[in-house]
Each structure stands twice: as structure tokens, then as C-alpha cells.
Amino acid sequence: MCMMRAYNGVTDNFASATREFNTRKFHWTDAKSKKPTRPEDPHQYLSGFGNELESEFIAGALPIGQNSPQICPYGLYAEQLTGSSFAASRANMARSFLYRRRPAAVHTSLERIEGNTTFTASFLPSDDSLHVVPSQLSWRAFQIPDKSGPEVDFTQGIRTLGGSGHPNIREGIAYHIYAFNSSMKNKAFANIDGDFLICAQEGHLNITTEFGHMYLQPSELCVIQRGIRFNVAIVEEHSPNGARGYIIETWGTKWELPELGPLGGYGLANSRDFLHPTASIDTTSTGSWTIITKQVDKYYASYQDHSPFDVVAWHGTFVPYKYDLTKFAYQNSVAVDHTDPSINTVLTAKSRDPDAPLCDFLVFGPRWDVAENTFRPPYFHRNCASEFLAKIYGPTGGGRSEVFVPGGASYEAGHTPHGNADQRTMGAMHMELKPMRVGENSLTIMLESCRSLMFTNWAVKDSGVLAAEDIPLAAWDLVPDRFGKDEEAQKLLRARSCAM
Ligand SMILES: [Fe+2]
């Protein structure tokens, strides 16, 4: 495939910053880079969020002033791809026009296939194979297929942990992990059910979409919307251990930037840091291609004698994008008290309840903690949202359990009483409150959802890495009863009891 290399010849401080990143002491601004991506990323992008975008691989391929000329430039075919209804509000309109060598309609008839049986999107309470977890779960690192073993590609390496709802009622969410050791070969996948938010944890991915290429490496995410065909290749040079990461699949909603309110125009995930692919036609692949689609949790295959990535130009608002989580501009208290974690929201996906997001995607990385006269770690809490945490990199522990490791995960159902299991929680009551760095050398993502998840057999039985259920009980036994030993409080209690 032909790839454009952007910013050739640019010299900057990336080399030293990359060395720092290898030891995980990294923040985007340390790089002082003149390009918007890390050095391994060979692709060129368009920036912004929710914009009207356009791109052409060769000059003159994009029609001007109309969408569908009688004959498109160079004999290309115009094809619309929508992600919203035709008459959706302008704010929610999601549609693009693609100009391609052959329409996507050119393929064999679809045949039903079994597909990946550990990859599911059906979470109805009547399904007895699903498990309700009323408290907590924790998984050690999910296993990546050995490179010396059978080949497992991206679509074969998806394992569903849990979710809520169903794609056919256009409401709900699924949490998956991916772990694979080889590239998809002449194969494309399209999820008709919902959008994929993919967050890389191990290995580098070269993702080809109908809109062009996206490079994804650990601590970067991308969103590929429903219906868009894509291929995932593993970048061997940077993936000696294979590839692993997390997928959040959403139905009936879309990922948006959170409102900034009094923060003003900037902060958190800035819109200019979201990067969209540029048009790039596949002119090198040969042979037959297989297109796998997932619709209503069923799998179908069709075949064609040419690459599905034959788009020469496109324009519209329905376009995949990527984001580097190390660019996140953290905001927090500079006076007193621990700010609610929503201040770390990167993207939010609304539900039909305006006050309860289907999912908030949060990030926790290196930042300063300066609040004075304050218990700085998260307070004990019983939130209505369910919480799913995953460590992208960093030392073991520091989350909800002592086995919280990169490549693993933990989950707390809504209203599960908990705090922070880190030893710092106890020490924080007596520590000297100097400005201090927190989250150094680590990056953790958290998904907060208004839904109570139901979990698959794979998640609670077959993954081989389930560490514990009900992990917090012993930890909280260590919390002392200070009130019961406070002499003045006890004296006042006795006096009040006598007065009654
Ligand atoms: Fe929590």
C-alpha cells in the first residue's frame, strides 16, 4: 500500500524524549516535537474534532461543489456512508462521501459464519450464560498468543469481558480485550452494530481504514465508527510480544468531548489533538479479500477480488480518529479537596438519560497533586456508576487490588463501597502536604458507566487470569475505628446518652 510519510526531515527533540518514554517518564510536551505524532508513526493526519473534513490522495479526485457528479473525476464512484439518520440535527450529523475505484457493493453474497465465539455483543438479563457481579473483579494480564504458536489475528483475538444491552435495541455497551500475534491478511472487518474505541496497551498497530491509515501504539486510542471497514496489521518491529489492548463497543450513541464549562476553551482532551487519516488507496495488495461483518451479534463473510481500501478521496463528518492520551491536559484542585474523577474525562458517550452517560472514558497519568489540608487520594465512595480500570503501563498495584498490572483490569459494580487500596491511603492522613507528583511512570484508563455490566463465561471462568472476586474485604479490615478511640468524642457520646 502506498503510504505518505509526513514531516520528512524534521529534526526535533523526539529522540531524547523517546528514550525517556522507554523508561515511561514521558509527557507529550517533553518531546517539543514539530509534528503531531510520535516518531514511529509514518502517516499524515488531519486534526480537529467533529469537523467537516476532506482529503484526496491524488489532486483533482474530490468533486468540487457537488457530491455526486454524473461521472466522478478519474472514473471514480461516489458512495455515501452515514452514521446518523439523513435528517439528524447538524450537531449530530454523521455522513461522508467516498470516491472509490469500485463501489463497496461489488462482492459475493454474504454467508453466515460462526465467527469468533468469545466475541459477543448480547447482554440481555434473560441470558443464563451471563454473570451478574455485585461487587468486584480483578484480572491479571490477559494472555497474548505466543508468536511461535498458531497465528491469531485481531478479529480472532477479541475476547468479551462483559457489557449491558444489545445492539439491536440501539442501547448499550460491551467491554472487550484484544490479544493477537499476527496481521489480518487480505481481510477486513466492519462492525455494523456499533462504534469501536480501541486503546492499545502492548504492541504497535497499523490500522487501515477506508479513509486511510492510523498508527496506534500503547497509550493511544482510536475510534472506528460502525460500518467502516478496517484491517489491523501488527508492526513486528515494535511488537516482539504481540499486541494487546482494550475495546469499548457502544450502541446508539457516539463519543463526544465533555463540556468544559468554567474551564473555558481549552483543557482536558483538546480538540486539535484528535487526528484523522488522510485518503490512501491500496495499490499493492493482490488476490481475493474477505470482508467479515458483525450484525446483531451474528457474523457474515463476503468475498471480492479487489481490496476494499480503494478510496481515492473523501469528505464528510463521519471519519475515524486517533488520540494520544499523553497529550491530555490535566485539571485539578489547586486549593482543597479531591476533585471528582470526571475531571479526567477524555471522551463521553451519552445515554438517553441526560444525567447519566453510557460511558465516560477517563485517563490518569503523571500530574501534580497540590491540594492543602486535604486527604488527597480518592475518598471512600459508593458511586452509582460502575467502574472498569486498566493499566496501560506502570508499576503493579496502585489501583483497586494488589494484582493491578499492565494488561489486566479490575471492575467495581455501581454502589460497591470502596476506596483506594494503595498503602498511601493510610499514610495520606499524616503525610506532609507538599506539592507532589502522582501517577509518575504510569498511565491508567477508567470507564465509568451508568450500566451494571453482565460478564461472560470467558471473563469469570475461562480467561485463566481472573485474580479475585470480593477483593476489597481484607483491605478494608485494616481501616481503624478512630472515632471509637477518640476520648472527647466518647465523653460527648456518654453525656448525650445520659441526657436522653
Ligand atoms: Fe471508585
Side-chain angles (χ1 to χ4, degrees), residues 332-339 369-376 433:
N332 222 302
S333 172
V334 291
V336 296
D337 290 349
H338 181 94
T339 308
D369 200 346
V370 301
E372 297 179 299
N373 194 28
T374 290
F375 180 76
R376 288 177 172 176
L433 296 179

Side-chain angles (χ1 to χ4, degrees), residues 47-319:
S47 70
F49 194 92
N51 297 5
E52 182 85 39
L53 299 166
E54 63 181 45
S55 179
E56 59 184 11
F57 189 68
I58 57 174
L62 196 63
I64 303 298
Q66 67 176 126
N67 294 323
S68 189
Q70 186 173 21
I71 297 179
C72 292
Y74 308 120
L76 297 168
Y77 294 92
E79 179 182 87
Q80 183 172 213
L81 178 64
T82 66
S84 64
S85 66
F86 294 129
S89 66
R90 282 183 178 266
N92 291 315
M93 187 72 74
R95 78 285 180 272
S96 291
F97 255 97
L98 298 89
Y99 300 92
R100 59 195 319 156
R101 193 167 175 176
R102 269 165 287 198
V106 180
H107 62 75
T108 63
S109 58
L110 274 69
E111 65 180 57
R112 176 81 189 277
I113 60 173
E114 183 178 53
N116 177 349
T117 56
T118 59
F119 173 23
T120 184
S122 177
F123 301 97
L124 298 177
S126 57
D127 186 342
D128 291 335
S129 71
L130 298 171
H131 304 263
V132 173
V133 176
S135 55
Q136 309 196 14
L137 291 172
S138 181
W139 297 268
R140 296 185 176 86
F142 297 103
Q143 295 164 359
I144 303 173
D146 197 290
K147 283 205 164 185
S148 62
E151 289 190 353
V152 178
D153 69 21
F154 175 79
T155 56
Q156 296 162 334
I158 297 176
R159 306 282 180 264
T160 301
L161 295 174
S164 173
H166 195 281
N168 205 33
I169 55 177
R170 308 301 308 139
E171 281 200 62
I173 189 166
Y175 295 175
H176 316 286
I177 63 109
Y178 67 81
F180 64 97
N181 61 14
S182 66
S183 301
M184 293 167 64
K185 296 180 175 62
N186 275 29
K187 184 165 96 172
F189 177 69
N191 184 14
I192 311 303
D193 287 336
D195 295 1
F196 264 14
L197 186 157
I198 302 170
C199 184
Q201 187 274 323
E202 175 77 42
H204 291 207
L205 309 181
N206 198 9
I207 301 175
T208 300
T209 75
E210 292 172 278
F211 292 82
H213 306 287
M214 292 189 292
Y215 194 94
L216 208 66
Q217 56 187 289
S219 69
E220 289 189 312
L221 65 80
C222 73
V223 171
I224 302 174
Q225 295 90 337
R226 60 190 296 228
I228 294 175
R229 297 170 174 190
F230 66 97
N231 169 285
V232 180
I234 193 165
V235 182
E236 298 291 348
E237 177 187 2
H238 299 294
S239 311
N241 301 315
R244 178 175 53 206
Y246 306 88
I247 303 171
I248 302 97
E249 181 179 352
T250 48
W251 312 306
T253 184
K254 64 176 181 176
W255 292 101
E256 302 174 51
L257 290 172
E259 296 296 338
L260 289 176
L263 289 180
Y266 308 96
L268 310 183
N270 285 310
S271 55
R272 69 187 291 251
D273 294 329
F274 287 81
L275 302 177
H276 306 262
T278 52
S280 178
I281 183 173
D282 174 7
T283 57
T284 58
S285 74
T286 58
S288 174
W289 277 74
T290 303
I291 314 296
I292 306 290
T293 57
K294 179 173 82 74
Q295 186 154 20
V296 197
D297 205 32
K298 307 281 190 267
Y299 295 86
Y300 300 87
S302 65
Y303 307 93
Q304 57 189 57
D305 63 0
H306 57 281
S307 172
F309 305 114
D310 61 353
V311 176
V312 183
W314 55 259
H315 74 84
T317 58
F318 191 58
V319 186

Side-chain angles (χ1 to χ4, degrees), residues 348-367:
T348 183
K350 292 175 181 169
S351 73
R352 295 184 187 179
D353 179 345
D355 297 317
L358 176 66
C359 188
D360 284 339
F361 184 103
L362 283 63
V363 66
F364 299 88
R367 60 202 186 278

